Amino acid sequence: MSVIHDINLKHIRLSDTNTRKHIDEVQLKGLADSIKQVGMFTPIIVRGKENDYEVVCGERRYRAAKIAKLKEISCIIRELSDEEAEDLRITENLQRQDISPLDEAEAYKQMVEHRNYTPLAIALRFGKSETYVRHRLKLNDLIEPFCDLLDKEVISLGHALELCKLSPGNQAAYYKSDFATWANTTWFKVPSVKTLSDTIKRQYTCQLSTATFDIRKAFDFALPCISCPNNSSYNTFLFPDMQDEGRCLDPICSNRKTEESLKEKIALVTEEQPDVTLIIPTYLGTDELIGVKNLKEEGFLVKEVPIYNLVSKPEPPEQEAIDMDSEDPDAIEDYKSQVKDYEDELEEYNKKMASGELRKGLMVAGRTKGETVYFEIDKDDKDGNDNGKNAKDDAIKELKEKDKRNQELQFEKGYMETVAMLKEQGYTRQTGPLSEQETNALMLVMLTHASTELKAEIGYKDFNQGKSKTKLEIVPNLTESQREQILRSFILYKLNTSSPSYQMDEANMLLTLARDQYYANSIDILDEQESRYQKRRLAIYERINELNLEQLKLPLDEVAQE
């Protein structure tokens, strides 16, 4: 039999590791009042800890005793290690009738993380189902604002179990959009658990059966969907209601997979499937339009196709739905009619496919982004009545446009990669004489600034002057004299400034060059300007002296007046 000791409250302290976080203050006050009147019948369990005692079981009674201003409290002293104390504390908490779901979740978490329990072992120990334990463990992922609403009973445990399936980021977004403003008002009505679940599915999950990427493929940033914990069908313990649908609970990840997969498909189409057209629907949101703009800037040809021009291959009627051995002639006749309609639609579909009226496309924006579809050429794109011929002509024209753009892309990308290589190799830091090609490059850069007479002489015309030889054709055939003229034209162009007082280095360099080449003329110009400046300067200082004299006379005049 355990010995009960009366210990002074000032020698007892609470444990830092107690999983119980949620205590009803009203009930605690009621317990304190009861202790004042009739005393405390059940002692608390403590253990020795650093010259004092630590509460192992009975925190609520300990708090109530302090509120009741008791000096001592009845205790049973146990010799317990940290592990034993934590195990006893968790067990006692979990056996309470009034334990909150969040405290229970925290207790299970402690058992998993610090006591190496599995969910199944916890379930067996406390007589729960493994699904129950796993749901409680998942409740630890509920963000603080929703925990607060659960404590205040604004939302139910059913709501909380649906919300904790979302990532913390999506929970925060949902709280901000649907709860933050109204949750603490008296008139706020929480949606039903079913409505909440449907909203979560619609806004924050993605149905994997319609994914445009391979759910069996691993990405650099994510597991394959078929083995990912965020796939509802992967974890049937937590998501028994979602397992048939197979939904991704991390739309950011699935959207990224969609984008990565789309890039791969676009690359494949560009390299190996020239007959596939990149298409977009008619109406797109702002974010989608930015993505399409980026594609076009990268050089891809993108065609806008109205949704009514998209065509799907006809599906045969389901024969299993019709009992062909039945006595109901109407049902059999109805099925035969469906088959006839299907065959007619299939024949029309095959004709359009053969004639080229149906084109294969990859949807690069919109709700079906990443899907391979077929679309019918708009009638506005056809001329005459021979639709088959015109469709093929249109396809040929489009393929030639693709070829032209591919040639441009090949040149542009080769150029950009070459520029990057030159920078990486440190071209500008090389020393030694310029090569012939470097000299030609210099001439090509400076050619635009050659004199009008020289341009006419070498056959070069500016952009708005009509057809001319290209600079690349002209430069290798320049004479030494022409190269010298081009270089001097460029020097004059770069040193010629309308703001010589601000671009002093360029201005002084031009003056130095002029003195070197045309000394007499240069000196005459500068001497004339110096002479004009001195005359103006003399006039200015004469006036300054006059004003100074007038200032000196002013006080004398004032004295004479007094």
Side-chain angles (χ1 to χ4, degrees):
M1 183 175 177
S2 299
V3 178
I4 298 176
H5 302 268
D6 290 330
I7 301 176
N8 194 307
L9 281 171
K10 69 180 182 180
H11 295 303
I12 302 174
R13 59 184 173 84
L14 293 173
S15 168
D16 295 331
T17 61
N18 193 358
T19 59
R20 184 169 190 173
K21 308 295 182 187
H22 305 84
I23 297 177
D24 190 305
E25 295 297 331
V26 175
Q27 291 183 1
L28 192 63
K29 180 65 168 57
L31 179 59
D33 292 340
S34 174
I35 289 174
K36 281 181 182 179
Q37 295 174 13
V38 298
M40 189 169 65
F41 297 110
T42 306
I44 67 172
I45 298 175
V46 299
R47 65 169 180 152
K49 185 78 170 179
E50 299 174 358
N51 300 321
D52 277 325
Y53 295 96
E54 178 187 83
V55 177
V56 178
C57 300
E59 177 180 340
R60 187 166 165 269
R61 281 164 280 157
Y62 167 79
R63 289 178 182 273
K66 292 188 74 174
I67 295 173
K69 299 188 182 302
L70 299 184
K71 291 185 177 180
E72 296 180 337
I73 187 172
S74 299
C75 303
I76 297 174
I77 302 173
R78 295 272 183 90
E79 295 294 328
L80 299 169
S81 66
D82 289 345
E83 290 78 11
E84 290 170 334
E86 183 177 4
D87 196 50
L88 181 59
R89 187 180 297 116
I90 290 172
T91 302
E92 193 268 346
N93 279 338
L94 289 172
Q95 289 175 340
R96 297 192 337 262
Q97 293 296 320
D98 64 338
I99 185 170
S100 78
L102 292 173
D103 282 344
E104 189 177 12
E106 177 64 25
Y108 290 156
K109 180 182 177 183
Q110 293 288 334
M111 294 182 75
V112 170
E113 292 182 352
H114 301 296
R115 307 292 289 148
N116 296 322
Y117 275 78
T118 64
L120 178 59
I122 295 173
L124 292 173
R125 176 166 178 176
F126 295 103
K128 309 289 186 181
S129 70
E130 185 175 358
T131 299
Y132 177 94
V133 173
R134 287 183 180 274
H135 273 111
R136 286 297 188 273
L137 284 168
K138 187 64 180 172
L139 204 58
N140 286 294
D141 294 335
L142 196 67
I143 64 172
E144 192 60 37
F146 281 130
C147 289
D148 185 53
L149 294 185
L150 179 61
D151 278 339
K152 295 176 180 177
E153 299 183 353
V154 175
I155 61 174
S156 68
L157 177 60
H159 292 102
L161 291 174
E162 290 296 328
L163 290 163
C164 69
K165 295 174 183 177
L166 294 173
S167 67
N170 284 336
Q171 286 187 56
Y174 191 29
Y175 179 83
K176 182 178 180 180
S177 65
D178 286 52
F179 286 85
T181 305
W182 308 284
N184 293 314
T185 60
T186 56
W187 50 265
F188 177 66
K189 182 174 175 59
V190 180
S192 68
V193 174
K194 175 68 168 59
T195 301
L196 182 84
S197 176
D198 290 344
T199 301
I200 288 173
K201 284 182 182 180
R202 183 176 64 255
Q203 295 184 5
Y204 298 100
T205 69
C206 306
Q207 192 166 340
L208 293 174
S209 62
T210 61
T212 57
F213 55 86
D214 186 353
I215 64 174
R216 297 164 298 179
K217 177 183 174 181
F219 289 77
D220 292 340
F221 53 87
L223 294 168
C225 295
I226 57 172
S227 58
C228 177
N230 285 318
N231 178 356
S232 63
S233 64
Y234 175 74
N235 196 332
T236 56
F237 281 108
L238 286 181
F239 311 110
D241 56 326
M242 286 190 181
Q243 60 184 326
D244 293 335
E245 298 179 28
R247 287 181 171 269
C248 173
L249 303 173
D250 186 357
I252 294 176
C253 178
S254 60
N255 289 339
R256 188 175 174 189
K257 286 182 176 181
T258 299
E259 292 296 334
E260 291 296 321
S261 177
L262 180 61
K263 289 178 184 177
E264 293 176 2
K265 290 177 181 178
I266 291 174
L268 180 65
V269 165
T270 305
E271 297 294 331
E272 302 177 15
Q273 300 176 2
D275 59 324
V276 178
T277 304
L278 302 184
I279 63 173
I280 58 172
T282 305
Y283 300 105
L284 290 173
T286 304
D287 291 342
E288 294 275 24
L289 286 172
I290 292 173
V292 173
K293 181 183 177 184
N294 292 338
L295 277 175
K296 290 180 177 179
E297 288 178 351
E298 290 176 28
F300 294 103
L301 296 175
V302 181
K303 186 180 182 69
E304 187 177 292
V305 175
I307 194 167
Y308 55 76
N309 278 12
L310 299 180
V311 178
S312 300
K313 187 175 182 179
E315 295 286 341
E318 296 181 8
Q319 185 173 352
E320 291 78 7
I322 304 295
D323 184 2
M324 299 304 291
D325 296 327
S326 71
E327 300 292 331
D328 186 353
D330 290 337
I332 295 173
E333 193 60 35
D334 181 60
Y335 174 72
K336 288 180 178 179
S337 175
Q338 291 180 40
V339 170
K340 179 66 169 61
D341 291 342
Y342 161 71
E343 291 173 346
D344 290 343
E345 291 171 5
L346 184 61
E347 182 180 3
E348 181 67 17
Y349 175 84
N350 289 333
K351 280 182 180 179
K352 289 182 176 180
M353 286 289 289
S355 68
E357 290 182 66
L358 292 185
R359 203 75 70 68
K360 191 176 184 181
L362 175 65
M363 191 68 75
V364 295
R367 186 175 55 83
T368 56
K369 178 166 60 177
E371 289 187 12
T372 299
V373 297
Y374 285 91
F375 64 96
E376 189 170 8
I377 301 170
D378 200 298
K379 294 178 180 179
D380 293 340
D381 293 337
K382 302 173 184 176
D383 298 316
N385 297 318
D386 190 354
N387 291 342
K389 181 178 183 303
N390 286 311
K392 287 184 171 60
D393 288 344
D394 187 64
I396 291 170
K397 179 181 177 183
E398 186 174 306
L399 287 169
K400 287 182 176 179
E401 288 177 359
K402 276 189 176 181
D403 178 58
K404 179 182 177 183
R405 185 55 189 145
N406 286 340
Q407 186 178 20
E408 293 171 349
L409 283 173
Q410 169 263 329
F411 177 77
E412 291 169 8
K413 290 180 178 178
Y415 171 81
M416 296 306 296
E417 289 179 12
T418 302
V419 170
M421 180 273 294
L422 288 171
K423 292 179 179 179
E424 183 180 344
Q425 294 296 325
Y427 167 73
T428 58
R429 298 191 298 273
Q430 288 190 32
T431 58
L434 294 177
S435 69
E436 180 182 350
Q437 290 305 324
E438 288 175 312
T439 304
N440 285 342
L442 192 58
M443 289 297 112
L444 189 145
V445 170
M446 296 186 296
L447 183 56
T448 306
H449 308 292
S451 66
T452 304
E453 295 80 4
L454 181 58
K455 286 180 180 178
E457 179 183 327
I458 62 180
Y460 175 73
K461 297 179 181 178
D462 289 327
F463 179 74
N464 59 354
Q465 292 181 315
K467 188 176 180 181
S468 70
K469 294 180 183 178
T470 66
K471 288 187 280 188
L472 202 57
E473 292 172 325
I474 292 171
V475 165
N477 300 313
L478 291 171
T479 65
E480 191 62 31
S481 173
Q482 290 168 340
R483 288 171 180 265
E484 291 166 355
Q485 291 180 58
I486 290 171
L487 182 57
R488 290 188 170 102
S489 296
F490 185 75
I491 290 172
L492 181 58
Y493 168 75
K494 295 305 290 184
L495 296 182
N496 182 13
T497 171
S498 60
S499 306
S501 297
Y502 296 98
Q503 291 184 281
M504 295 292 292
D505 289 338
E506 286 80 359
N508 284 323
M509 188 70 245
L510 186 140
L511 295 176
T512 302
L513 184 152
R515 282 195 298 270
D516 178 64
Q517 296 289 322
Y518 307 100
Y519 181 79
N521 293 8
S522 174
I523 292 300
D524 288 346
I525 291 172
L526 296 178
D527 285 349
E528 183 180 350
Q529 293 302 320
E530 177 69 18
S531 174
R532 290 179 180 178
Y533 164 68
Q534 291 298 340
K535 287 180 181 178
R536 289 193 291 267
R537 186 171 186 268
L538 180 61
I540 287 172
Y541 277 93
E542 284 178 352
R543 180 56 183 155
I544 290 174
N545 290 334
E546 289 175 3
L547 292 172
N548 285 334
L549 288 173
E550 289 176 5
Q551 283 182 321
L552 290 172
K553 290 179 181 179
L554 186 60
L556 295 175
D557 292 342
E558 291 175 352
V559 171
Q561 289 175 5
E562 292 177 358

